[in-house]
Amino acid sequence: MAGTGVFADILDGDVYKYYADGEWKNSSSGKSVAIINPTTRKTQYKVQACTQEEVNKVMDSAKTAQKSWAKTPLWKRAELLHKAAAILKEHKAPIAECLVKEIAKPAKDAVTEVVRSGDLVSYTAEEGVRILGEGKFLVSDSFPGNQRTKYCLSSKIPLGVILAIPPFNYPVNLAVSKIAPALIAGNSLVLKPPTQGAVSALHMVHCFHLAGFPKGLISCVTGKGSEIGDFLTMHPGVNCISFTGGDTGIAISKKAGMIPLQMELGGKDACIVLEDADLDLVAANIIKGGFSYSGQRCTAVKVILVMESVADVLVEKVKEKVAKLTVGAPEDDCDITPVVSESSANFIEGLVKDAKEKGAKFCQEYKRDGNLIWPLLLDNVRPDMRIAWEEPFGPVLPVIRINSVEEGIHHCNASNFGLQGCVFTKDVNKAILISDAMETGTVQINSAPARGPDHFPFQGLKDSGIGSQGVTNSINMMTKMKTTVINLPTPSYTMG
Ligand code: G3H
């Protein structure tokens, strides 16, 4: 159970502690932040409201710890990460319980998130050992005018202190996707979890603590964004920020200093359906892509662009499947569970009302109870409706009927977002042409958008982000190149 057994140390009374200097601590603020259970809409947990002074201390410790960690052999760093991964998987049940209570993730998906995270940590350890163990060797006489008098040795060195800010929808998985590459590359890591998801993240961090990482190398500060948000992202001690979330990322990138940024800021992933598509496959992928975790995934299908000639049949098939989705509590492992907050539910409702006023066809009756919104397919959506462009982050999916592939590509490319997209057709040649034309970081052919498997490159264009994630890309992004040049008095090939 959460906060008990090996996790008892992380809880004091009814407030979860923050993690600094290898210890679980109470904030000197004496204040806490409440975490509201999306299902009950009552306070479920409380976390420390850390102060700016505490952030300063964490940054100092992170800087000191990183210096010796960078000198720790790579195989040893990998060994500790493997240990943390095993502990994480061993304790999947209490962590999944937190995910259910804090972010209303369906019970089975919550367990999957933790297991997937353990696998990600192990994979990163292995990948790091390989790619960080390699460097580059150059000789000077390949460049015009040079003799072979210089040997250039390049290798990757850590950046320093990485600030990781994951989103509420994957507070464990999208935290470890930043923590593991940072650590294997020899960096230290400061984690600022989302408020909803913070307790799951604190449990995850405890698994790293139990694995025996050095003091100060990993820290986790909780608190109000208004108090420590900008303070963290603008902190001079931070050498890199890896952020996943919404618009806040754009603000962060404007304020951050001259440091590498990795940002993933959502999407409006289009699903383009051609006349020759396997419509059963499309319908199954729309359900999985559009409604899993109630549409609260940046890679969710967020607009269907279907050729008019097959639209009626497709809508009917999707409707049948929507009717079978279970709606209710995450504890019961329902398909559709309450969205994360009341403000989120209100936002979704605003999009639905706008679509109604402008004449969208409702394939189901709109229904809401608290934060729980029943799955809704909106047909005949037109570009003047907000739902055609904005991401609901909820179980509401618009269908726009198109008369040409070009029309679909145009709609996709007119979006501010450019995360992923998908195209369904049996003609692979056409699929490749469409993929090239879509301005998104990834195009899936004959499957719904998705980030995983977690070692695949994952990136967004336009307002969807900066940089690329995926295990290898994240490790590379959290390092910089260092070269040593050996200068010889005479060209090296003159002897003999
Ligand atoms: O919400 C953003 C996530 O990166 C999406 O990940 O495709 O595994 O659900 P996913």
Side-chain angles (χ1 to χ4, degrees), residues 22-336:
E23 285 172 29
W24 291 97
K25 301 182 179 188
N26 287 316
S27 169
S28 60
S29 72
K31 292 183 192 149
S32 62
V33 178
I35 296 170
I36 310 296
N37 180 325
T39 312
T40 63
R41 294 192 288 155
K42 296 203 170 94
T43 297
Q44 180 71 43
Y45 302 122
K46 287 179 194 163
V47 293
Q48 304 293 326
C50 291
T51 64
Q52 295 185 351
E53 191 45 43
E54 282 155 354
V55 168
N56 281 335
K57 282 193 189 142
V58 154
M59 289 296 171
D60 284 348
S61 314
K63 195 170 178 182
T64 309
Q66 191 269 328
K67 295 221 179 303
S68 34
W69 180 245
K71 294 175 189 148
T72 304
L74 194 45
W75 65 265
K76 224 171 180 172
R77 293 185 219 153
E79 204 173 74
L80 280 174
L81 282 168
H82 281 302
K83 204 169 163 193
I87 298 171
L88 193 59
K89 284 181 169 182
E90 186 189 335
H91 297 293
K92 58 180 185 287
I95 303 176
E97 178 197 323
C98 299
L99 291 168
V100 168
K101 303 278 183 218
E102 280 186 296
I103 60 163
K105 187 161 273 198
K108 275 193 200 134
D109 293 351
V111 173
T112 304
E113 176 171 347
V114 184
V115 174
R116 173 183 179 181
S117 301
D119 291 340
L120 172 54
V121 173
S122 291
Y123 188 101
T124 308
E126 285 173 30
E127 185 73 348
V129 164
R130 289 191 197 104
I131 65 171
L132 295 166
E134 281 180 1
K136 210 172 178 186
F137 170 60
L138 291 174
V139 286
S140 48
D141 64 328
S142 51
F143 199 87
N146 283 272
Q147 297 294 321
R148 189 174 293 218
T149 51
K150 292 173 189 289
Y151 282 5
C152 178
L153 308 170
S154 310
S155 62
K156 286 169 191 153
I157 59 166
L159 294 175
V161 179
I162 312 287
L163 173 63
I165 309 182
F168 82 83
N169 60 349
Y170 286 98
V172 175
N173 184 264
L174 280 170
V176 301
S177 75
K178 303 171 192 313
I179 296 172
L183 296 183
I184 193 67
N187 299 289
S188 57
L189 191 288
V190 176
L191 176 68
K192 165 65 180 76
T195 297
Q196 262 167 295
V199 174
S200 315
L202 291 168
H203 281 74
M204 174 273 294
V205 167
H206 193 55
C207 296
F208 282 78
H209 169 82
L210 294 172
F213 281 89
K215 286 183 180 178
L217 190 70
I218 308 167
S219 327
C220 185
V221 286
T222 51
K224 293 195 177 105
S226 56
E227 174 71 15
I228 58 168
D230 278 357
F231 192 73
L232 270 164
T233 53
M234 293 165 76
H235 201 285
V238 172
N239 303 112
C240 165
I241 302 175
S242 179
F243 174 92
T244 308
D247 293 356
T248 320
I250 296 176
I252 291 175
S253 64
K254 285 183 182 148
K255 290 180 203 157
M258 202 175 71
I259 54 170
L261 302 177
Q262 190 180 51
M263 298 265 157
E264 199 267 280
L265 314 178
K268 183 74 184 170
D269 294 6
C271 172
I272 301 183
V273 186
L274 271 53
E275 290 105 330
D276 69 341
D278 173 343
L279 296 182
D280 289 314
L281 179 74
V282 182
N285 274 277
I286 285 173
I287 293 296
K288 183 168 152 256
F291 295 104
S292 55
Y293 188 38
S294 307
Q296 297 175 108
R297 296 165 54 238
C298 52
T299 50
V301 169
K302 297 204 180 97
V303 57
I304 301 165
L305 302 163
V306 56
M307 292 296 285
E308 177 72 61
S309 57
V310 291
D312 283 344
V313 182
L314 180 67
V315 166
E316 224 24 68
K317 284 180 188 289
V318 177
K319 261 172 77 176
E320 273 170 32
K321 289 185 186 293
V322 167
K324 289 186 188 139
L325 291 172
T326 53
V327 181
E331 286 84 353
D332 299 335
D333 206 37
C334 288
D335 299 314
I336 304 294

Side-chain angles (χ1 to χ4, degrees), residues 382-399:
R382 290 189 324 266
D384 64 324
M385 300 176 191
R386 287 176 57 203
I387 192 79
W389 306 105
E390 296 179 40
E391 52 170 352
F393 237 67
V396 178
L397 191 49
V399 178

